[in-house]
Amino acid sequence: MTPAEFRGRRAWPLPEQPGRWGDRETFEQQRVESGQWVFWEDRARLVLAGRYHEVLPLHVEVSPTFLCNFACPWCSCRSAREEWSETDVFNHPRSSPLTVMRRSRIDAVVDHLAEHDVEIMWAGGEPTMNPLLYSAATRAHERGVNQCVFTNGSLLTAEQATTLFDAEFVFVRVSLNAVTPDVHRRHHDYDKRLPHGERVLRNLDMLAGLRAQQRSRTLLGVSVVVDRHNVDDVPAVAEFVSSLCERNGCGAVDYLMLRPAFPLNGAQIDTDDGVRDVFLAHARCGSRARTLLGDAGVRVITPEASVAEVPALPSDDVGCLAAGWFGEVTPSGDMLPCSDLYGDPAYFIGNVASQNLDEVWAGSKRRTVLEQVRNSRCMSTRCPTNGRGHHLNRVFREVERFRAAGRLTDVERWADDLRTVLPRPEHSFFL
């Protein structure tokens, strides 16, 4: 839309509220990403037709290993991870087909996802502990797959990082969390004799240098998850990230994700209202941390759903309407219908190392799991309220209310109108 058309518009489709319009001020207060799912028009048509379970994933979190060299108590993947070590994962005493992907499996997973243009978010465990990550990333890039990676940043080399940039990852995001050595160690729970904190800082500087060289469009992000151990280190983190931009150029770090530790399934968080108040003081506009980062050209993202109270989903037997939009693939190649199930074998729907995605989607295991999810009301009892699945379940239940009232055309008009006023998303990773 042109600026003139924006000025003339009186009613704005509200991204978080299907079928509803409001004034421009209300529109601008809502999260843009909340409504960007409508740009995947093939999936949106299935939603409007009520065919939720036919939706194929936009992206999946692929774990090339569940092993990690950190032991973060607050980690969402803690329940899936068995042990941590810096030993070569293939020779690790707990290495098995359930914890580490070998070449044939990782290649098959990439190929089967590429057949359906499903994007890959490399996760774990610590994904960089599996040296096959880099050849798999190149293979996925050659097949036109969008990718990103979440890493603790302790193990990357310049050559490996260059491979990720050359594969045009959407982003490389480093879980920094603290810069003071003792705080970094306590927050990530590793042996104080190990130089992890120092290596993470050095590697972030290296990554910022590569980003500044504009080898590709890859974004460099930093993640800071706050609890009692590291809340007072947030200003020091901001100073460090700001210094990276001073050395490598304004905006060498593209964004910083700042959020409190969240009680995800299996995570052990250490926080209270006092910690939350200190966090909010650091996160507010005008704080020293926000000012330093803003002056350095770093966008600060504080997800509202991780801070504010989110309304609970209604008690119903509709089931999970978001199952399929974002999935997970474990080191064994087993697939889960949601990226917030963290490797739980009770929710395996098929294996994308040995089956193509069409077979998994049409399989009896998937039907059984979806029925299990419906009966257990998983989306109300287990689904994290700051996750994509919880958000889409709320949105799609609104769509169903309009359908029941005979007003589905309002949602159709709303979706069409959203596509005229929202920026087109570059990828699905930020939804």
Side-chain angles (χ1 to χ4, degrees), residues 276 304-305 307-311 385:
R276 183 176 180 276
E304 184 178 353
V307 179
E309 185 173 346
V310 176
T385 56

Side-chain angles (χ1 to χ4, degrees), residues 163-174:
T163 298
L164 304 183
F165 278 79
D166 287 345
E168 297 187 331
F169 272 37
V170 173
F171 64 80
V172 174
R173 191 159 109 192
V174 177

Side-chain angles (χ1 to χ4, degrees), residues 304-319:
E304 184 178 353
S306 293
V307 179
E309 185 173 346
V310 176
L313 289 172
S315 180
D316 57 38
D317 63 353
V318 172

Side-chain angles (χ1 to χ4, degrees), residues 18-156:
R20 293 180 171 86
W21 282 257
D23 58 28
R24 183 166 183 174
E25 182 180 359
T26 305
F27 167 80
E28 291 177 343
Q29 289 173 349
Q30 300 206 350
R31 182 173 175 267
V32 165
E33 293 83 358
S34 295
Q36 286 183 320
W37 61 272
V38 302
F39 283 94
W40 283 272
E41 295 188 45
D42 54 344
R43 273 92 168 172
R45 283 194 295 272
L46 289 172
V47 167
L48 292 173
R51 294 157 57 189
Y52 292 96
H53 293 163
E54 295 179 37
V55 173
L56 288 174
L58 293 178
H59 72 253
V60 296
E61 295 185 13
V62 178
S63 296
T65 178
F66 273 160
L67 303 176
C68 188
N69 58 335
F70 286 8
C72 313
W74 45 267
C75 178
S76 60
C77 298
R78 185 177 179 84
S79 58
R81 198 177 59 226
E82 292 191 331
E83 194 170 320
W84 47 94
S85 170
E86 286 208 357
T87 305
D88 170 12
V89 289
F90 297 118
N91 296 313
H92 191 282
R94 299 299 294 275
S95 177
S96 76
L98 299 178
T99 59
V100 181
M101 278 190 181
R102 305 281 174 152
R103 184 175 298 279
S104 60
R105 181 168 290 160
I106 201 169
D107 286 351
V109 167
V110 166
D111 291 348
H112 286 151
L113 295 176
E115 287 174 5
H116 291 276
D117 299 318
V118 177
E119 302 176 343
I120 295 175
M121 179 183 289
W122 295 103
E126 171 50 41
T128 64
M129 285 189 71
N130 189 330
L132 297 178
L133 168 67
Y134 306 99
S135 59
T138 299
R139 186 184 188 93
H141 177 57
E142 290 170 349
R143 285 154 178 73
V145 176
N146 271 350
Q147 307 170 79
C148 67
V149 66
F150 290 87
T151 173
N152 64 34
S154 66
L155 302 175
L156 280 169

